[in-house]
Amino acid sequence: MKTIAIFASGEGTNAENLIRYFAGSTTVRVAVVVYNRKEAGVRQRAEKLGVPTEYVPKAMFNDEGYILPLLSRYGVDVIVLSGFLLLVPGFLLDAYPHRILNIHPSLLPLHGGKGMHGLHVHEDVLRSGDRESGITVHVCDADLDRGVTLFQAKCPVERGDTPESLAARVHKLEYAFFPEVVERFCEGGYDYLFK
C-alpha cells in the first residue's frame, strides 16, 4: 500500500476526485491534503470525505525542518500536486526523488512554466492558435513543468472556444485520467522510466 499526500492551492475538485477514487483501495491511501492558502476550498472538500488537512503557508512550506517531519508523521510515500501553485523546493525533491507527480492543463512542453496555471494556460493555448490541448501528468524535477512525462490526453480546441469552455473540456480529461495514472504510478507501472 502506497500512502499519498495531495498538495493543493485552490478549490480542490481534482483532489476530491482522487480521494473518492482511492476510497476503499487496497493499493493507494490518501493520508493528508496539504494546502497553502487559508481560503482554499480543498480543505472543506477533503474534511467532508474524512481526509485530514494541514495548512502550510508559503513561508513554512520552504522550511525543511517543518515540512519533512509533517509528511513523515503521515507516512507519505508519494506526493501528488493537484492545482498546487508553489514551486517545489529542492529539499523536497531530494527527499522524494521521482515520487512527486503533477498534473498540468496543457500538452507540455507547450504552455508550461512560470505564470502558466489556471485560465492563463487556456488563454495562452487560444492565443497560440493550437488545434488541440489536453493534460500532462509528469514527475516533478528542479525545472518547472519539465519532468518526465508519464501520460498525456488530448482534446480539440474548438472554434469559438473561450478560456472557460476550453478549461471545462480539459477538466473532463483530468477527472477521467488523473486518478488512474496516480494509481498506476503507485503500483510501479512507470518504474521502467527511472531505471
Side-chain angles (χ1 to χ4, degrees):
M1 166 93 55
K2 291 285 193 217
T3 300
I4 67 174
I6 299 173
F7 285 15
S9 297
E11 283 308 303
T13 55
N14 267 315
E16 179 178 352
N17 190 38
L18 287 166
I19 293 166
R20 289 185 184 280
Y21 183 87
F22 291 118
S25 170
T26 58
T27 56
V28 180
R29 181 176 71 91
V30 179
V32 63
V33 170
V34 175
Y35 64 103
N36 67 297
R37 291 172 54 240
K38 238 184 185 142
E39 69 280 8
V42 71
R43 179 180 67 81
Q44 290 89 351
R45 289 178 187 273
E47 289 175 356
K48 184 177 77 179
L49 295 171
V51 174
T53 62
E54 295 281 351
Y55 170 57
V56 181
K58 185 176 182 179
M60 296 300 288
F61 186 75
N62 290 307
D63 181 348
E64 182 174 355
Y66 180 79
I67 196 76
L68 291 182
L70 173 83
L71 296 174
S72 180
R73 272 201 315 275
Y74 286 98
V76 172
D77 301 305
V78 174
I79 297 169
V80 178
L81 309 182
S82 179
F84 189 65
L85 300 181
L86 295 180
L87 190 62
V88 176
F91 72 80
L92 206 49
L93 293 168
D94 291 342
Y96 290 87
H98 310 302
R99 290 187 290 143
I100 303 176
L101 307 185
N102 183 46
I103 188 165
H104 187 79
S106 77
L107 300 172
L108 292 175
L110 302 174
H111 314 291
K114 190 172 170 71
M116 287 292 105
H117 57 84
L119 286 180
H120 299 298
V121 175
H122 308 301
E123 289 165 355
D124 204 49
V125 170
L126 294 174
R127 208 171 16 250
S128 74
D130 290 357
R131 293 186 175 181
E132 60 184 8
S133 189
I135 61 168
T136 303
V137 181
H138 66 98
V139 175
C140 293
D141 63 16
D143 297 314
L144 188 60
D145 294 333
R146 295 287 181 197
V148 173
T149 294
L150 301 178
F151 176 85
Q152 289 187 315
K154 298 176 182 179
C155 64
V157 175
E158 296 177 358
R159 196 174 185 154
D161 257 337
T162 63
E164 292 80 8
S165 64
L166 181 55
R169 204 171 305 115
V170 169
H171 282 315
K172 286 181 182 174
L173 295 176
E174 293 173 348
Y175 301 150
F177 294 108
F178 193 28
E180 292 176 9
V181 176
V182 172
E183 182 175 47
R184 183 174 175 207
F185 180 85
C186 288
E187 292 175 352
Y190 297 100
D191 286 357
Y192 67 94
L193 292 170
F194 306 101
K195 298 277 190 220

